[in-house]
Amino acid sequence: MNHFTRIVLVNPSHPGNIGAAARAIKNMGFHEMALVKPRRALSHEAYARAAGADDILDNALLFDDLAAALADCQLCFGSSARAPVDPHAQHDPRSAASLISQLDPNLKVALVFGREHAGLTNDELRLCQYHIQIPCNPEFSSLNLGAAVQLICYEVHVALTTPTTPINIDFDYAPQADLTRYYQHLEETLSQLNFLKQDNPRQLIPKLQRIYQRAQLSTSEVHLLRGILTAVQKKI
Ligand code: SAH
């Protein structure tokens, strides 16, 4: 888990949205919220909408401008519903999340969100190396601030917590020839058992092959399976 993600809200107007963002931040396993000049103090409504994520609100960092909020962050993602200022920097939430999940977890990442009525300025977006646009109805593309925080934090959370299948280069994958011999041995044994009927094979061997291919067997596992077949043949 990347514990260094900072969620930054620039000039938020509605305490309720700040509370909803705090809730989303905590739900998705993040801790740090930064507020750049919120227009109103955190009210009862902010705490009500935070629904228990009071610690996120209480510990929110306060800054006078976005540059100060991002000063110690190495990678900043600014989210905007508007057309991209730089198409090369553009990501959707999922690809941004995938990028974040591949970073050194010690890097400090910022996810930046704009004002409810006007979003982020171009100057503010230029402080971010990457931009995130949530794909949606082009005729109605502006999400509620709390919803945008929820959606982007969710994608980052999933990308950070879903284990990717490691490519284990040391694993003793069985060579294909061993597998071919195993499949022949299996076919022979199943025929002897009359489970495989030569006059009606019904794709049995290809179906079983698919199961074994999915299992990505090691050489010793293939030997084990062949040992079982030999034991079965001895019994017959
Ligand atoms: N009219 C504003 C929308 C403000 S909504 C604009 O032009 O961006 C408040 C914030 O929620 C936005 O600044 C942005 O950070 C986020 N947001 C809302 N809809 C979004 C979308 N479709 N893609 C990315 N971020 C979005």
Side-chain angles (χ1 to χ4, degrees), residues 95-105 107 159-160 164:
S95 68
S98 156
L99 201 159
I100 292 169
S101 72
Q102 291 166 48
L103 295 173
D104 178 336
L107 290 181
L160 289 175
T164 46

Side-chain angles (χ1 to χ4, degrees), residues 8 10 17 78-83 90-91 93 112-120 125 131-137 140-149 152:
V8 184
V10 178
N17 281 339
S79 61
S80 171
R82 275 178 292 122
Q90 197 68 10
H91 281 275
V112 184
F113 297 84
R115 304 154 184 84
E116 289 93 333
H117 59 287
L120 293 169
L125 279 171
H131 304 148
I132 305 178
Q133 190 176 27
I134 300 166
C136 50
N137 179 356
F140 194 67
S141 64
S142 172
L143 275 75
N144 164 266
L145 174 59
V149 172
I152 291 174

Side-chain angles (χ1 to χ4, degrees), residues 13 18 25 36 131:
S13 303
I18 301 175
I25 289 167
V36 176
H131 304 148

Side-chain angles (χ1 to χ4, degrees), residues 199-219:
D199 52 342
N200 184 18
R202 293 189 334 259
Q203 291 290 306
L204 178 64
I205 294 300
K207 279 183 191 159
L208 290 170
Q209 275 178 357
R210 274 198 292 279
I211 297 173
Y212 289 112
Q213 296 290 22
R214 275 207 303 275
Q216 302 195 329
L217 300 169
S218 69
T219 304

Side-chain angles (χ1 to χ4, degrees), residues 6 8 34 36 63 65-77 108-112 124 126-129:
R6 172 179 298 164
V8 184
V36 176
F63 293 96
D65 58 39
L66 181 57
L70 301 182
D72 58 340
C73 298
Q74 276 106 352
L75 271 186
C76 308
F77 292 77
K108 187 145 190 93
V109 172
L111 303 173
V112 184
E124 286 165 342
R126 271 191 281 270
L127 290 175
C128 304
Q129 292 94 332

Side-chain angles (χ1 to χ4, degrees), residues 9 54 94 189:
L9 309 186
D54 297 15
R94 200 157 294 175
T189 314

